[in-house]
Amino acid sequence: DAGVTQSPTHLIKTRGQQVTLRCSPKSGHDTVSWYQQALGQGPQFIFQYYEEEERQRGNFPDRFSGHQFPNYSSELNVNALLLGDSALYLCASSLTGNAEAFFGQGTRLTVV
Amino acid sequence: GQQLNQSPQSMFIQEGEDVSMNCTSSSIFNTWLWYKQEPGEGPVLLIALYKAGELTSNGRLTAQFGITRKDSFLNISASIPSDVGIYFCAGRASGTYKYIFGTGTRLKVLA
């Protein structure tokens, strides 16, 4: 049973560029949440997708957007990258109605 | 961003010792999750708690949902070197889908 998988594992981008991160949820899960984890801190909620729609959003600017596909996989897009966007981006999947959230290994984004 | 307060921030313990850590919030939560994260990896779910006062175990780990619903506790018994890592609590309030994470407790075990 494959767990949550994210790609790529590492990424280096230049300020002002755009980036797309991908997530495949755990088998049987239909909900995907994205979190940003800065070095030395706990994860911060970006948004959650369910039934291909953004269900809830955290305190992140509109430069952060996402998408969920019919197979429940998801993308996180970040436009106009800033140095402060450098972080570990985590995807968590769950089954709606079930509180347990399972994380992928993350994508380490470095903005230079 | 908003984070829950975890204590202690870090701890060194001897192998075989018991460990206790806690997490406090100014808000009431209806779900608490505990995770362990190792360097370069995503958090791994350890225990989920759903009711005030609930005590749940997973092997040597035991977690409790505080009666006030504003705190949670994690105990690790007879620690071993592979317990090394950062432990995060995460709480979720009623009517919301987001988890708010704690600041983390970094555990180091001395063999």
Side-chain angles (χ1 to χ4, degrees):
Chain A
D1 176 24
V4 180
T5 58
Q6 292 186 241
S7 63
T9 54
H10 295 85
L11 203 52
I12 300 175
K13 289 286 190 179
T14 304
R15 264 183 309 176
Q17 284 189 316
Q18 178 263 344
V19 69
T20 297
L21 311 181
R22 295 176 176 81
C23 171
S24 291
K26 187 176 165 66
S27 177
H29 285 184
D30 57 7
T31 302
V32 173
S33 301
W34 287 92
Y35 288 79
Q36 180 195 67
Q37 186 177 25
L39 207 58
Q41 298 188 21
Q44 295 284 329
F45 178 80
I46 303 174
F47 41 54
Q48 184 182 88
Y49 276 83
Y50 172 68
E51 291 191 337
E52 302 180 48
E53 292 198 358
E54 183 183 290
R55 179 154 73 172
Q56 185 172 2
R57 188 178 185 92
N59 190 25
F60 279 80
D62 292 345
R63 298 186 297 109
F64 290 76
S65 63
H67 189 77
Q68 186 180 34
F69 299 93
N71 67 352
Y72 308 119
S73 67
S74 177
E75 288 182 348
L76 164 66
N77 301 294
V78 187
N79 294 324
L81 285 166
L82 304 174
L83 296 179
D85 293 332
S86 296
L88 182 67
Y89 288 85
L90 294 163
C91 168
S93 78
S94 57
L95 179 61
T96 197
N98 188 315
E100 296 180 358
F102 295 85
F103 283 88
Q105 83 281 9
T107 294
R108 171 70 63 187
L109 172 65
T110 303
V111 182
V112 297
Chain B
Q2 185 181 6
Q3 290 191 94
L4 306 178
N5 187 40
Q6 279 186 251
S7 65
Q9 275 190 308
S10 63
M11 52 197 313
F12 284 86
I13 60 167
Q14 293 284 341
E15 183 177 358
E17 287 184 347
D18 296 345
V19 175
S20 292
M21 62 189 78
N22 71 325
C23 184
T24 58
S25 166
S26 57
S27 307
I28 288 175
F29 289 135
N30 67 348
T31 304
W32 284 97
L33 304 180
W34 282 92
Y35 290 90
K36 177 187 177 187
Q37 187 174 28
E38 298 184 44
E41 302 292 326
V44 174
L45 182 63
L46 300 173
I47 291 179
L49 301 162
Y50 303 102
K51 292 195 315 190
E54 179 183 358
L55 197 67
T56 297
S57 293
N58 177 7
R60 294 179 296 106
L61 278 61
T62 301
Q64 184 165 24
F65 194 136
I67 289 179
T68 66
R69 298 173 62 195
K70 292 184 177 182
D71 53 10
S72 182
F73 310 90
L74 177 68
N75 295 308
I76 304 173
S77 63
S79 58
I80 59 178
S82 62
D83 290 334
V84 166
I86 304 176
Y87 291 80
F88 287 102
C89 62
R92 189 176 76 175
S94 176
T96 180
Y97 298 103
K98 75 174 183 181
Y99 280 98
I100 300 171
F101 279 74
T103 48
T105 293
R106 184 181 299 271
L107 180 64
K108 298 186 181 181
V109 180
L110 305 173

